Amino acid sequence: MLKNYMESTDQSTVKNYPGPWLKHRESRSISDDVVWLFSDGSSTGWFGAVIIHPGKSIRRLSKYEESPNRNINPEFNGAILGLEALEPGTKVNIVHDLLGLGAWVIGEWRMTKPAVKAKTDQIRKIIKEKNLDVHFIHHAGHQNKKRGERPICNSEFTKYNCEADKLCGSAEVRDTVEALC
């Protein structure tokens, strides 16, 4: 099931894209009632996902895929990688830094490129087949980053967004699980 709106933690994004489909909400904390999927992709072809089952575990995944469309495909692939790792029936918040990812999947943005349509359809198919309850949250990438510096990951929410970003730059296929007490 897809919600017909998404959230953004970035007020300027909401101002630039007015409409009932995009709501502003300040940075959130990781809650126990839902799984959190932080995804990202890099123009190098690497993509990653951090999946948090609050109070249980954190799973970190990264992978590489050669693609002619390196600006958008890796962003979608990070979300796909994470969604494929979820159990059927999972309620999940997907946190991503490409605004279009959520906007295309919920149907608010028009798809003009075949590659975008193909990736959007792939995500919708996974959601339907696994009966996932999905909510998209846009979180501007590299928050608090000054030109030429690494991002400052100073909140729990931003920390995991930064972790997904770092997985894309690790150049290492990864699938690790960390148990939480």
Side-chain angles (χ1 to χ4, degrees):
M1 173 175 81
L2 278 172
K3 305 233 182 322
N4 64 354
Y5 70 93
M6 56 183 280
E7 297 174 12
S8 179
T9 59
D10 182 28
Q11 182 66 45
S12 63
T13 299
V14 175
K15 286 180 184 176
N16 290 332
Y17 297 95
W21 65 275
L22 184 61
K23 303 174 187 320
H24 178 251
R25 184 165 177 178
E26 291 298 324
S27 190
R28 301 171 57 156
S29 61
I30 307 301
S31 61
D32 290 336
D33 63 337
V34 65
V35 170
W36 291 82
L37 166 56
F38 291 81
S39 69
D40 204 358
S42 166
S43 62
T44 64
W46 283 93
F47 49 95
V50 177
I51 303 169
I52 302 168
H53 295 267
K56 296 178 184 172
S57 65
I58 299 175
R59 185 173 180 186
R60 293 169 181 87
L61 303 158
S62 64
K63 203 170 173 182
Y64 174 81
E65 182 179 291
E66 186 65 40
S67 170
N69 185 354
R70 285 201 168 170
N71 288 333
I72 295 175
N73 278 7
E75 296 282 350
F76 275 95
N77 288 340
I80 290 166
L81 182 67
L83 288 170
E84 288 175 338
L86 297 176
E87 293 294 320
T90 300
K91 181 178 180 182
V92 60
N93 287 334
I94 300 176
V95 182
H96 52 91
D97 63 7
L98 175 68
L99 180 62
L101 176 67
W104 281 311
V105 175
I106 68 170
E108 276 301 321
W109 282 12
R110 199 168 43 99
M111 291 171 273
T112 57
K113 295 184 178 183
V116 171
K117 181 171 180 356
K119 290 295 181 181
T120 299
D121 289 347
Q122 188 177 357
I123 288 178
R124 289 176 179 163
K125 181 179 178 188
I126 295 167
I127 291 168
K128 184 177 180 181
E129 286 178 351
K130 288 190 156 202
N131 192 32
L132 301 173
D133 185 353
V134 176
H135 180 62
F136 287 94
I137 301 171
H138 169 256
H139 189 69
H142 314 288
Q143 288 210 340
N144 304 323
K145 184 177 178 180
K146 293 181 181 175
R147 190 170 293 246
E149 294 180 1
R150 301 251 344 133
I152 301 167
C153 303
N154 59 0
S155 73
E156 182 183 40
F157 201 76
T158 304
K159 171 187 167 185
Y160 293 113
N161 194 51
C162 288
E163 275 196 39
D165 182 56
K166 288 176 188 173
L167 285 169
C168 300
S170 69
E172 175 184 336
V173 175
R174 189 174 301 192
D175 185 350
T176 62
V177 178
E178 172 189 341
L180 300 175
C181 299

